[in-house]
Structures are given as C-alpha cells and as structure tokens.
Amino acid sequence: MRNASVTHAQFEQGPIRPPSEAYSLLLRVTRNCPWNRCEFCHIYKGQKFSLRTVDEVKKDIDIVHERVSEVKALSWELGMGGEITSSLVNEIFNNPDRYPEGFRSIILWLYAGGKTVFLQDANSLVLKTDDLVDVLKYVRERFPSIERITTYARAKTVAKKTVEELRDLGRLGLSRIHIGLETGYDRLLEYIQKGVTAKEHIEAGQKVKEAGISLSEYVMPGLGGKGMWREHATETAKVLNQIDPDFIRVRTLKVLRTMPLYQKIESGEFIPLTDDEIVMEERLLIQTLDGIHSTFASDHILNLLEEVEGRFPEDKEKMLAVIDRYLALPVREKANFRLGRRAGGYRSLDDLSNGELHSQVEKAMSRIESESPGGLDQAISDMMESFI
Ligand code: SF4
C-alpha cells in the first residue's frame, strides 16, 4: 500500500515568514511576539508569547528529518528514483487525506532545493545565545547541506547582544537577520509603539553588519500618515545611511480593523496617505538614501510599484525614474494602474501598454464607478485587505 510507512508526528510552525523565505523550512524556536504592541501589526494580538525549549525544537528537527526520509522513500516507491519531482509534489498536494499536514511544507521545501531554513516567530534572538547555538548546531548536524539559516529579530534585542555573540551565531550558520525598522523617526516610533529608538536601530544594525551576518531592514511606506510622512521618509533614510544594510525591503502600510492603528483612523487622529502620496514619500526616502550599498527590494504584494528595485548607488536614478514615470501619468491612467496592479493583472508600468489588459481594467473601473460612484478607492482598499 502506498505510503504505508508515513508517520503522523507533527512539528510546529508559526504563521508568518518574509516573502523571500517562501520556500524555506520553517522551524519554530519561539511562539508569537514578546513585544506584541506595534499599532500597525495584528499577527500575534491575543496570543501569548512563549519560549520553546531546545529539546522541543530538536524534536521538531528530528520529525522533519524523518519526514524527509519518508518523502524520499515515497519517491522510490512511485518510481521516481528518490528524486523530488513535480509529480511527487502533485501526489502529496492532491491527496491531503493520505499525507499529514507537515508533508506539504516539507515537499515544497525539498522541491525548492531544501537548502534554506527560517527560524520563527517574531524575535528568535530573544532566546539565550547558548540555546540558539545548540539549535543551529543541531540543524546543521541533521541537515549538513543547509546553506542559509535566517530569522526575524527585534532591534532592541539585537542591540543587547555583543558583536562576539552575533559572530558566534554567524559562524554556526545564522546567515541573515530580518529586522522591522519600519521608520527611523523617533516621534513616529513612539506613536506606533515600536518600543525601540532610532539610536537602538542603528546600534543593532551596525552590530549585525560588524558580525558579518547579512542584514535585511524592513521599511513601511505610508506609516507616517499625513502628519509625519516627510520626517518618516527623511529620518528613515538617515538611519539606513548609518547602517548600510544588505537589503532594504519596503512593505506598504495597510490598516485592518484588527490593528490598534485602526482606532486612530476612526477617531480622525491618523490620516492615511493616498497611493500617490505614498509613492511621493517613497521618492523622498530613496532620494535621501546616500552612501549605501544596499539592495532595495519591493517584494511585497502591498507595494504599488514592484519594479522600484535595484542596488545602491548605481540604480538610484533608475528607481527614481520609475517613480517619476508613475507620477507623470494622467489621473485616469494612474487609477487604471492602481486597480490593475491590485487585481493582479499588472506587474510593471510597461503593462499599461498591453491593450487587452488595459481595456479589461478600464471596463472593471467603469463598472465599479457605475455601481458605486466614487467607490474605486474602496474597491482597491478591499483588494489590498485580502493580501494580508
Ligand atoms: S515586533 Fe514585529 S511581530 Fe511584534 S508587534 Fe511589532 S511588528 Fe508585530
């Protein structure tokens, strides 16, 4: 009988990972977020933070190891010679009753090469360094071919580690840390209850760099709202200029009812920016970035201009040119692009010259306007909600 040897032991996985870790093995070393107060974040609200013991995590690693053996055995059984093929992926995805939950994430990980691991949840560096060292050693012992291990961390926590501790983690394979900078403007950091200052962000970022670990800093366009957008852009750029991270990744603000910031919108205290204003804010951010060598990435579906990507300093003008091209579009074309992008039709501004696609978006726009005059922004906003 097919998969007679499949076990049903489960390993834990948390809810999120960065877009760039979509095909990494997710290993949960803590549960939820030890801070959990950021006003723009709803992921862990109502969830209690807890550390997992090294033994618990090791048991999960053992289960993953066992699953990998089972997947390979299945491949032999189905005549695929132990290879991880698309047919094997289909077999597992098409038969959810036959293969327990963990199989799907394992097969996707293996199909993508099985070389990367992401440690969850929000702040793995809150673990004692010795415990993290044990976990990293065990991952590499069980999976010697792993090439990249990455994690999220809070700047406040990273700033408390010594460069030597971080260097040890780097030596054992922690190759990249993702930090949610969000903004470098102190007043705004306080307003959104990030629980960290610009100075601490700089200290944390510089330590990670000094330890030789790759650093990804996340910035949130739109976070300053109408009241603080200028300072948000310029002060964030100044912080990044002092860190010079390997990656700057943007993820545009979208406020859901489940986020504390929503109450401030309802009361009129926080006034969100329009799409065009966010693009202008992003322009100011990029314009103010200087003396860095970072790769700028817009790899999140919430960002309007996905093609604003490149490396500093050589691609700075190219990125600004994309923004200027969008800002120079006639009002109706901008609306067409915004709707087409959020509906998943457009990836870049060049797609506006795809006549068939353009006219489909135009028809959708006319329909929205006739059914609900002035309702285009709401329709776009609803689409964005479904991305989170
Ligand atoms: S630190 Fe990260 S996960 Fe925790 S509340 Fe803030 S944004 Fe959310």
Side-chain angles (χ1 to χ4, degrees):
M1 192 180 84
R2 190 178 292 173
N3 79 310
S5 58
V6 164
T7 60
H8 285 255
Q10 294 289 344
F11 60 99
E12 253 189 76
Q13 293 198 311
I16 61 161
R17 40 85 190 146
S20 54
E21 304 294 337
Y23 298 105
S24 295
L25 171 68
L26 306 180
L27 273 184
R28 198 173 205 190
V29 301
T30 68
R31 297 184 187 95
N32 310 312
C33 173
W35 174 249
N36 216 4
R37 293 191 215 168
C38 300
E39 298 254 323
F40 58 86
C41 173
H42 68 144
I43 312 268
Y44 303 105
K45 295 284 183 279
Q47 307 291 322
K48 200 166 168 291
F49 173 76
S50 63
L51 296 169
R52 299 190 75 210
T53 65
V54 172
D55 280 349
E56 280 176 321
V57 180
K58 282 185 175 176
K59 268 186 203 133
D60 276 5
I61 296 169
D62 287 339
I63 293 172
V64 172
H65 194 268
E66 199 176 334
R67 279 281 144 77
V68 170
S69 305
E70 287 168 352
V71 167
K72 290 199 173 150
L74 184 65
S75 167
W76 280 104
E77 195 182 322
L78 295 175
M80 297 171 201
E83 295 294 309
I84 308 300
T85 63
S86 55
S87 310
L88 191 60
V89 175
N90 288 337
E91 160 71 18
I92 287 175
F93 268 78
N94 292 338
N95 296 289
D97 297 342
R98 198 178 297 158
Y99 304 104
E101 169 60 30
F103 259 87
R104 292 198 284 283
S105 51
I106 297 289
I107 187 75
L108 281 182
W109 173 54
L110 292 176
Y111 189 61
K115 305 275 188 213
T116 60
V117 172
F118 180 73
L119 306 179
Q120 295 176 308
D121 280 337
N123 186 18
S124 306
L125 265 70
V126 79
L127 279 184
K128 283 190 200 133
T129 303
D130 286 348
D131 287 352
L132 209 43
V133 160
D134 276 357
V135 168
L136 290 168
K137 276 186 181 161
Y138 200 63
V139 170
R140 296 179 70 82
E141 190 184 311
R142 296 298 260 159
F143 299 103
S145 58
I146 288 294
E147 290 172 357
R148 192 180 82 195
I149 305 176
T150 68
T151 190
Y152 278 132
R154 287 191 71 224
K156 188 104 176 174
T157 308
V158 175
K160 286 183 190 148
K161 301 266 184 203
T162 64
V163 173
E164 202 39 58
E165 281 178 290
L166 293 169
R167 222 174 250 140
D168 283 347
L169 296 174
R171 268 196 289 266
L172 287 163
L174 184 64
S175 33
R176 180 173 301 155
I177 297 180
H178 298 268
I179 292 181
L181 166 67
E182 327 302 355
T183 180
Y185 183 39
D186 273 326
R187 250 189 72 202
L188 184 53
L189 283 166
E190 207 180 313
Y191 186 71
I192 56 162
Q193 295 207 48
K194 186 70 193 170
V196 58
T197 62
K199 190 165 167 279
E200 287 165 331
H201 266 311
I202 294 167
E203 190 187 344
Q206 289 181 342
K207 278 185 174 175
V208 173
K209 292 283 311 274
E210 201 184 328
I213 297 175
S214 170
L215 174 64
S216 193
E217 295 273 2
Y218 285 78
V219 172
M220 189 165 269
L223 191 60
K226 299 251 197 233
M228 293 187 244
W229 73 270
R230 276 181 197 283
E231 296 86 348
H232 172 36
T234 54
E235 296 305 304
T236 300
K238 284 182 201 164
V239 165
L240 290 167
N241 290 345
Q242 291 188 64
I243 299 173
D244 190 10
D246 299 272
F247 295 90
I248 298 169
R249 292 194 147 93
V250 290
R251 179 197 181 280
T252 302
L253 173 73
K254 172 71 192 139
V255 183
L256 303 180
R257 281 167 207 275
T258 45
M259 298 171 182
L261 193 55
Y262 187 81
Q263 304 305 326
K264 291 185 170 151
I265 294 179
E266 285 288 278
S267 70
E269 185 187 310
F270 181 87
I271 305 172
L273 298 181
T274 63
D275 267 346
D276 287 9
E277 288 167 337
I278 290 175
V279 171
M280 281 190 270
E281 181 208 282
E282 190 177 17
R283 192 186 196 292
L284 183 59
L285 169 80
I286 293 174
Q287 184 66 57
T288 317
L289 287 169
D290 188 32
I292 58 169
H293 307 83
S294 316
T295 296
F296 191 94
S298 298
D299 56 353
H300 198 285
I301 185 76
L302 283 172
N303 301 322
L304 181 65
L305 298 175
E306 188 188 354
E307 63 193 301
V308 178
E309 296 217 307
R311 208 177 143 76
F312 280 88
E314 59 268 31
D315 295 327
K316 179 170 173 171
E317 293 309 317
K318 190 191 87 184
M319 290 188 269
L320 290 173
V322 172
I323 290 178
D324 290 341
R325 186 177 163 199
Y326 170 80
L327 290 173
L329 289 173
V331 175
R332 183 86 188 166
E333 281 298 277
K334 278 189 194 148
N336 183 298
F337 183 76
R338 288 169 56 224
L339 182 63
R341 162 79 177 134
R342 266 63 196 255
Y346 296 146
R347 299 288 301 267
S348 73
L349 292 171
D350 277 350
D351 291 336
L352 282 169
S353 42
N354 177 333
E356 200 184 321
L357 203 50
H358 187 277
S359 82
Q360 276 174 11
V361 177
E362 200 59 33
K363 274 186 209 148
M365 212 156 61
S366 302
R367 199 171 53 245
I368 292 168
E369 284 164 344
S370 70
E371 283 168 7
S372 158
L376 187 65
D377 285 344
Q378 190 56 51
I380 291 173
S381 171
D382 292 347
M383 284 175 185
M384 288 173 75
E385 279 195 18
S386 67
F387 299 154
I388 316 178

